[in-house]
Amino acid sequence: MPDYNAPLRDMRFVINEVFDFNAGYQAFGLEDVSPDLVSAVLDEAAKFAGGVLAPLNRTGDEEGCHIEDGVVTTPKGFKEAYQQYVDNGWGSMTGPVEYGGQGLPASLGLIVGEMVASANYSFSMYPGLSHGCLAAIRAHGNDEQKDLYLNKLTPGTWTGTMCLTEPHCGTDLGLVKTRALPQADGSYKVTGTKIFISCGEHDMAENIVHLVLAKLPDAPAGTKGISMFIVPKFLPDANGEVGERNSLKCGSLEHKMGIKASATCVMNFDDATGFLVGEANKGLNYMFTMMNHARLGTGMQGMCHGEASYQTALEYAKDRLQMRALNGAAEPDKPADPIIVHPDVRRMLLTMKAFNEGNRALTYYTAQLLDKAHYSKDEAERADAEEQLAFLTPICKAFMTETGLEVTNLGMQVLGGHGYIREWGQEQQVRDCRIAPIYEGTNGIQALDLLGRKVLMTQGKMMRAFTKQVHKFCQANEGHAQLGEYVNQLSALNVQWGEQVQKIGMKAMQNRDEIGAASMDFLMYSGYVTQAFLWLKMAASAQAELDAGTSEKDFYQAKLATQAFYFKRLLPRAQAHLSALESGADNLMDIAVSQF
Amino acid sequence: MPDYNAPLRDMRFVINEVFDFNAGYQAFGLEDVSPDLVSAVLDEAAKFAGGVLAPLNRTGDEEGCHIEDGVVTTPKGFKEAYQQYVDNGWGSMTGPVEYGGQGLPASLGLIVGEMVASANYSFSMYPGLSHGCLAAIRAHGNDEQKDLYLNKLTPGTWTGTMCLTEPHCGTDLGLVKTRALPQADGSYKVTGTKIFISCGEHDMAENIVHLVLAKLPDAPAGTKGISMFIVPKFLPDANGEVGERNSLKCGSLEHKMGIKASATCVMNFDDATGFLVGEANKGLNYMFTMMNHARLGTGMQGMCHGEASYQTALEYAKDRLQMRALNGAAEPDKPADPIIVHPDVRRMLLTMKAFNEGNRALTYYTAQLLDKAHYSKDEAERADAEEQLAFLTPICKAFMTETGLEVTNLGMQVLGGHGYIREWGQEQQVRDCRIAPIYEGTNGIQALDLLGRKVLMTQGKMMRAFTKQVHKFCQANEGHAQLGEYVNQLSALNVQWGEQVQKIGMKAMQNRDEIGAASMDFLMYSGYVTQAFLWLKMAASAQAELDAGTSEKDFYQAKLATQAFYFKRLLPRAQAHLSALESGADNLMDIAVSQF
């Protein structure tokens, strides 16, 4: 039975040594967020994730959710674990103080979220979706709506959903058919079918607040005619408590490849009472303001499954005796050597380690940007953080989920046949992770968002906000005694990256399909360069500690070894992506549909 | 509900136009195997696969196998379909004529096998395992054993298994603990537990013949002390029919990620009566002679799932309306354009198409080698075919399953959220395919087999048998009007390939870990170069047809377009593998176990 042990040492390395979160908290006037508090939060979250949530991960997968006449029951233990989650205040950590939240910074919330999600991804979706719903109402709802719903969503007493997708439209929300009819009392009657609704119905909270995209009778066609509605499962009564049952129902549960303890619902709204959020026809804009945060969370999913898979694979590779080392027996007193002696097993483990820790560094880098964008007193710094975030979000979402899928598949491969059966949990990590490249905007959509909207539409401005950071780092570390050669390599990549954008931009002026044709390889290329930067930042911190005579030599030497591995064995893939994207659109577009 | 339509046009292109199977059949004296017969077999197999087996694929996955007190029941319809398979003579196609088989060549068997496996992989495992068992008894059994078992295994009245793996050993069969005690009557009492036994127990045939690896009491330690035993579920009676029940039982079924309709059994042998095959302590050698054929079949699994996944993805991409083409509406009268207009969707579909068709060409190339090795009257040609086969087998097994996994994952991605749910069958293709890189020797083992045993131990001899073919092709097509540039590229790769082997060989003399460190990237590099050769062979055939004024322009132009796509977008990955393998062993071996 696999365990999850939060990688606290690595988390603290990134938080304290690589990025110095504390300096940020102090600069932002968050004096209460002391190093002691952060440390205590990490320790407690690790205990809760490992002790309460991880043991429910496999049983949740095996049991799945049940539905009977529209009533959904979550797997055994989930309801109780959620109650503990709420009672311990995990749900309200980053929530607004005025609605009962603790007002802690987003960075800390993301890091606790990592542990919860690594221990039990399906569980983490229930509060995860609620946060998106809460944020949307907080940003765009009126005061009455905020009072009614945020007081319940903030502590987690009620949960929330986002109801976007319909049978005929996922990516293309302009095709939404759900209708909202205005009523005399200012409310609306909402009718339509939504599919793939995560946590659309369950037994963990007393009420569920659906945020539904729908069209008004006189709405303009396409995406400009979409409005957002609050459609609660139970209408709040005069005291703001659970009142009358609304006219909506879960029609069925989807049979999915993974995340089976998360109830994915077909939701039928049948003249359900709803309330307009903000202005009419602005629903898609409102949704998009929530999207970036959700996409960072989904990107993190790749790292979470990857970490859990690595822990099991490493343990197995140290224990499993099979064959002898090629250079002679490593443990001659045993019937065979542990498989970690074999170079190819190490290649798999180091690939996992390099992507996991690189993805963690990327996640925490964006976590710090979230804080800067929210708290910084310097307007230019806030704007810069927003630009970097906008640029990095599609990279986080797509690169971290693509690599997460590779990592979980390697984690299964290390176990051989034992990875393919249920017992060790490795195949569940692959199945659960597989949704991440799909939802919250497929990775193909992320690639278009990156290259089209974020890079070309801003004429490289958002990208430069980030490449400037890479450039600064390279300048500061030019001629670094141990890392200088790698710094030069990164510096050259950073220049090549910008040049590619120029070239694609020129081609796209002739033919817009050049953007789509280059997009996915450009995103992956960008991901490899971004991770090269973060790995060098980590290596520089580790080298400094070693130079200062640290007592934790193993930890820091491992960082240097993994950075070297990344540059030598994974970064070369960037050039393959470059060749592919440079080949242009013709090799994709010249073939007729009839010729496929 | 996904269908499977055998890609007969593409199969015939490779069989008739690229490789000219018929010329081989005639040269080998197989006059009965006429073009008409081959064509009729293809048509009938396509009907059986699409009409009888494909409809059981999803229901088989959903229902899975059942066990009650050691008795295993296969999913609804499997038993009847197997009876049809036997009655129609599909099982006996390539079987020995003297035991009731039809004696058709292995090449034809492999191609029919492709259709059966593409339609329903789980089903195909039952006859597939039998073939391995049959081949082992035919090659190494005595006359009495052949008479008793081959008369039943050849038509498929009885099925067979291969019982190798035990809880503590998979790759390292030297650790086998199952014991065989000699009895006064010349038989043995076999005792031990075998796990992961495909088709170890089921209700489809009247008897199951287990081939069990076990150790005699006085056996030498390790792999040199393993013997092979026939241990039938029911002992044959005096007439060779089902007699007394043997003392063996299925203890449980494994809960697997996929191939759920294939019963994967824990088999307990408890003083079961067994019969030695061939000589004592030669069991592993016997098993390895079977391995190559089985590994080709497993490699094909990647292509089979890939083909099935492509068919569904293509159909979906043509039907699903979502967003507009970047250069303006392609179908303005519809609410949105079919997603096949989007460059990134085409990138996914073309990647699938390129790997599937490239893998099919590789499979059929080896199929022709199987015939040559068996039937050729020229000893040198037979030896050459054996060498090429030995070299290509690990490439087929590992490269085709790695790319098959990529293809099925892309096939799921094209469908977005609809790919993640059961309905369209795409997630089942991913789950079923995922075992292929693991069983029949993990892909890491294949990589060691390729670089260590096949390439370096023969000092490049086996490899040269194949690269000579590439060289000849390049010479013959130098300066080709349309393909010359690609031919030059392949020619350069072919040289680079050999040079790499020299370099690795030199390094390996200092440090044997260099072999393991280079192995997986060397295998993938080799796979990409091999496919480049096969894609150019196909392109040359297609260009010739176009030059001759074919009436099937779409088909041949698609071949040329896909070949160009392969060279521009997939082949660049070979250089990333080259960089990784050139980086050597230090970046894998220098990190201490405690530092992982």
Side-chain angles (χ1 to χ4, degrees), chain A residues 306-461:
Chain A
E307 173 66 35
S309 180
Y310 177 73
Q311 293 189 8
T312 301
L314 178 59
E315 182 193 354
Y316 186 88
K318 288 180 183 173
D319 284 352
R320 175 79 170 175
L321 305 178
Q322 211 78 173
M323 314 297 280
R324 289 295 180 189
L326 289 170
N327 281 324
E331 306 203 10
D333 51 325
K334 291 186 176 163
D337 288 330
I339 61 172
I340 199 168
V341 304
H342 303 304
D344 195 59
V345 172
R346 287 171 161 251
R347 179 189 62 78
M348 294 192 278
L349 290 172
L350 281 165
T351 303
M352 300 175 77
K353 185 173 166 69
F355 280 137
N356 286 343
E357 295 177 13
N359 284 337
R360 181 169 297 114
L362 177 54
T363 303
Y364 292 12
Y365 183 82
T366 59
Q368 202 170 34
L369 290 175
L370 287 173
D371 286 350
K372 271 187 200 159
H374 189 70
Y375 295 110
S376 174
K377 287 152 191 166
D378 176 357
E379 194 185 324
E381 190 179 45
R382 285 203 306 276
D384 175 78
E386 288 285 6
E387 286 189 333
Q388 285 196 62
L389 269 177
F391 174 71
L392 290 173
T393 296
I395 297 176
C396 286
K397 196 290 182 173
F399 184 78
M400 285 170 50
T401 57
E402 295 287 333
T403 54
L405 196 61
E406 176 174 347
V407 167
T408 51
N409 269 294
L410 287 172
M412 190 169 158
Q413 192 71 21
V414 169
L415 273 75
H418 297 276
Y420 196 67
I421 58 171
R422 200 190 275 166
E423 189 181 354
W424 285 83
Q426 295 297 75
E427 59 90 30
Q428 185 190 346
Q429 298 295 345
V430 175
R431 287 187 289 105
D432 285 0
C433 189
R434 186 61 188 86
I435 187 60
I438 293 176
Y439 62 10
E440 285 301 319
T442 64
N443 286 357
I445 290 296
Q446 304 299 323
L448 269 184
D449 178 50
L450 176 69
L451 184 55
R453 291 185 64 223
K454 305 292 174 63
V455 173
L456 296 177
M457 264 173 65
T458 70
Q459 310 206 300
K461 188 160 176 284

Side-chain angles (χ1 to χ4, degrees), chain B residues 470-490:
Chain B
V470 180
H471 180 67
K472 272 192 203 165
F473 173 83
C474 289
Q475 270 194 319
N477 291 279
E478 210 185 345
H480 189 289
Q482 294 86 0
L483 301 170
E485 176 198 338
Y486 297 115
V487 173
N488 293 341
Q489 204 179 332
L490 174 63

Side-chain angles (χ1 to χ4, degrees), chain A residues 221-242:
Chain A
T223 53
K224 286 175 185 146
I226 294 172
S227 303
M228 182 189 277
F229 298 86
I230 296 171
V231 188
K233 177 178 169 184
F234 292 99
L235 295 164
D237 67 13
N239 304 316
E241 298 299 325
V242 163

Side-chain angles (χ1 to χ4, degrees), chain A residues 166-173 175 195-196 254-259 310 314 318 320-327 335-336 340-344 346-347 349-350 353 402 405 409-410 412-413 416-423 427 430-435 437-438 442-444 448 511-513 515-521 553-555 557-558 561-562 564-565 568-569 572-573 575-576 579-581 583-585 587-596, chain B residues 166-173 175 195-196 254-259 310 314 318 320-327 335-336 340-344 346-347 349-350 353 402 405 409-410 412-413 416-423 427 430-435 437-438 442-444 448 511-513 515-521 553-555 557-558 561-562 564-565 568-569 572-573 575-576 579-581 583-585 587-596:
Chain A
E166 299 184 5
H168 60 288
C169 67
T171 298
D172 195 351
L173 292 168
L175 304 176
I195 64 169
F196 301 162
E254 301 287 0
H255 297 284
K256 308 186 302 292
M257 183 190 206
I259 51 167
Y310 177 73
L314 178 59
K318 288 180 183 173
R320 175 79 170 175
L321 305 178
Q322 211 78 173
M323 314 297 280
R324 289 295 180 189
L326 289 170
N327 281 324
I340 199 168
V341 304
H342 303 304
D344 195 59
R346 287 171 161 251
R347 179 189 62 78
L349 290 172
L350 281 165
K353 185 173 166 69
E402 295 287 333
L405 196 61
N409 269 294
L410 287 172
M412 190 169 158
Q413 192 71 21
H418 297 276
Y420 196 67
I421 58 171
R422 200 190 275 166
E423 189 181 354
E427 59 90 30
V430 175
R431 287 187 289 105
D432 285 0
C433 189
R434 186 61 188 86
I435 187 60
I438 293 176
T442 64
N443 286 357
L448 269 184
N511 176 6
R512 290 179 56 78
D513 276 334
I515 304 171
S519 58
M520 193 64 197
D521 284 294
K553 267 191 156 179
D554 261 7
F555 180 80
Q557 281 178 347
T562 311
F565 171 87
K568 289 176 179 168
R569 294 225 168 216
R573 299 181 189 178
Q575 298 308 316
S579 297
L581 79 89
S583 74
N587 60 54
L588 301 176
M589 306 312 291
D590 282 355
I591 180 168
V593 172
S594 58
Q595 294 177 347
F596 271 88
Chain B
E166 299 184 5
H168 60 288
C169 68
T171 298
D172 195 351
L173 291 168
L175 304 175
I195 64 170
F196 300 162
E254 301 287 0
H255 298 283
K256 308 187 301 294
M257 185 190 205
I259 50 168
Y310 177 72
L314 178 60
K318 287 179 184 174
R320 175 80 170 174
L321 306 177
Q322 211 79 173
M323 313 296 281
R324 288 295 179 189
L326 288 170
N327 282 323
I340 200 168
V341 304
H342 303 304
D344 195 60
R346 285 169 161 254
R347 178 189 63 79
L349 290 172
L350 281 166
K353 185 173 166 69
E402 294 288 332
L405 196 61
N409 270 294
L410 287 172
M412 189 168 158
Q413 191 72 20
H418 297 275
Y420 195 68
I421 59 170
R422 200 189 275 167
E423 189 181 353
E427 61 89 31
V430 174
R431 287 187 289 104
D432 285 0
C433 190
R434 185 61 189 85
I435 188 59
I438 292 176
T442 63
N443 285 358
L448 268 185
N511 176 6
R512 290 178 57 77
D513 277 333
I515 304 171
S519 58
M520 193 64 197
D521 283 295
K553 266 192 158 179
D554 262 7
F555 179 80
Q557 282 177 346
T562 311
F565 172 86
K568 288 175 180 169
R569 293 221 170 221
R573 298 181 189 177
Q575 299 308 316
S579 297
L581 78 89
S583 75
N587 61 54
L588 300 176
M589 305 313 291
D590 282 354
I591 181 168
V593 172
S594 58
Q595 294 177 346
F596 272 87

Side-chain angles (χ1 to χ4, degrees), chain B residues 296-370:
Chain B
L296 289 178
T298 304
M300 193 168 72
Q301 185 178 356
M303 185 238 300
C304 294
H305 293 300
E307 173 66 35
S309 180
Y310 177 72
Q311 293 189 7
T312 302
L314 178 60
E315 183 194 352
Y316 187 89
K318 287 179 184 174
D319 283 351
R320 175 80 170 174
L321 306 177
Q322 211 79 173
M323 313 296 281
R324 288 295 179 189
L326 288 170
N327 282 323
E331 306 201 10
D333 50 326
K334 290 186 176 164
D337 288 331
I339 61 172
I340 200 168
V341 304
H342 303 304
D344 195 60
V345 172
R346 285 169 161 254
R347 178 189 63 79
M348 294 192 278
L349 290 172
L350 281 166
T351 303
M352 300 175 77
K353 185 173 166 69
F355 280 136
N356 285 343
E357 295 177 12
N359 284 336
R360 179 169 297 115
L362 176 54
T363 302
Y364 292 12
Y365 183 82
T366 60
Q368 203 171 32
L369 290 175
L370 287 172

Side-chain angles (χ1 to χ4, degrees), chain B residues 7 9 17 37 72 127 150 158 176 210 222 279 283 297 306 312 322 335 344 354 398 416 424 497 531 543 580:
Chain B
R9 181 66 192 92
E17 302 171 45
L37 175 82
V72 174
L150 297 190
W158 297 358
V176 153
H210 301 285
E279 292 177 44
T312 302
Q322 211 79 173
D344 195 60
W424 283 83
W497 200 4
Q531 280 227 339
Q543 187 65 55

